[in-house]
Amino acid sequence: AAFLSCWVDASDEARGALSASLHNALLAREMPVDGQQLLLALAEFMEAHETALPLDARTLAAVARDCHAYAKALHYTEAEFWAEPGVTSVDGNLIDELLGLNMALGQLDAAAGLLRYASRESVPVREWWLENLHEWSQALAIYTARREAAEDEAEALQWDFGRVRCLHALSEWEELAAVA
C-alpha cells in the first residue's frame, strides 16, 4: 500500500524511471527468484488496485514462468492473447505458451478449448498439442501425413517417433510393430 501511495503521487518522469528500474530488476540475471516473485506480487497488487505498472505482459509472463508461478504466467499470457486486435497476433507460439501453462496447471478443458479456438482461427495445429491432450488418433493422422511428405530419411524418422508414441497409446500393436 505504501508503494501505491507513492506511485500515485509521483511525477510522470519519476514513474517512468521507476518503471524502467523495475523492468531491469525483473530481467537481471543476479535477481534471486524470491526477488522476482516479490516484484510479480507488486505488479499483481498494483493491477488489483487499478493502477497497473507499465510493464510488458510478455515480460511479466516470462518471469512468472521462470519462477514456476504458472497461474501468474497464465494471467499475463492471456492478457497478451486478449490484447487489442493488431497489437498482438495470435500465432502458434502464443498458443504453445497458453497450452503449456494450462497443462502445467491441470486445466485440460481450457487447453482443449484453446485447441478448438486455434483450429477455428486457422492456426496450424502442432502435433504435440494433440499428444498432450491425449488426442492420439488426430496426432497420429498428422504424424502420418508429415511422414509421407518427408523429403529425407532423417525427417521421416522424426515423424516415425511421434507415430510410435501414438500407436503405443492407442494399443495398435500390429501397426506399431510394422513401424518399428
Side-chain angles (χ1 to χ4, degrees):
F3 183 87
L4 176 62
S5 66
C6 291
W7 180 265
V8 170
D9 291 337
S11 67
D12 289 342
E13 184 178 316
R15 286 183 193 175
L18 187 54
S19 295
S21 295
L22 290 171
H23 182 267
N24 290 338
L26 276 170
L27 298 178
R29 292 177 138 180
E30 300 82 21
M31 175 67 80
V33 172
D34 291 345
Q36 290 177 322
Q37 289 176 335
L38 191 64
L39 292 175
L40 287 169
L42 174 64
E44 182 180 19
F45 175 82
M46 295 295 285
E47 185 179 342
H49 287 83
E50 299 179 8
T51 313
L53 294 172
L55 296 171
D56 182 44
R58 185 174 294 177
T59 300
L60 292 169
V63 171
R65 197 172 31 263
D66 291 345
C67 294
H68 302 285
Y70 297 124
K72 285 182 184 181
L74 180 62
H75 169 75
Y76 292 117
T77 306
E78 284 178 343
E80 182 183 349
F81 179 82
W82 293 113
E84 293 293 322
V87 175
T88 303
S89 63
V90 176
D91 61 5
N93 294 331
L94 187 56
I95 300 291
D96 272 347
E97 294 291 327
L98 288 167
L99 277 172
L101 291 168
N102 277 303
M103 297 298 291
L105 292 168
Q107 297 181 350
L108 302 180
D109 289 340
L114 190 59
L115 186 60
R116 283 191 300 278
Y117 174 85
S119 296
R120 192 174 67 235
E121 295 297 315
S122 301
V123 175
V125 175
R126 297 181 182 169
E127 53 284 334
W128 81 263
W129 300 349
L130 296 165
E131 279 191 69
N132 283 337
L133 292 172
H134 302 254
E135 299 290 342
W136 301 110
S137 297
Q138 292 176 9
L140 178 60
I142 291 175
Y143 281 126
T144 302
R146 293 198 175 146
R147 168 47 165 122
E148 291 170 359
E151 295 183 10
D152 58 44
E153 196 57 36
E155 184 182 357
L157 186 60
Q158 172 191 350
W159 301 120
D160 280 340
F161 285 133
R163 291 177 62 215
V164 165
R165 287 191 303 272
C166 294
L167 291 168
H168 180 267
L170 292 168
S171 300
E172 296 287 344
W173 308 120
E174 290 175 18
E175 193 173 345
L176 180 59
V179 170

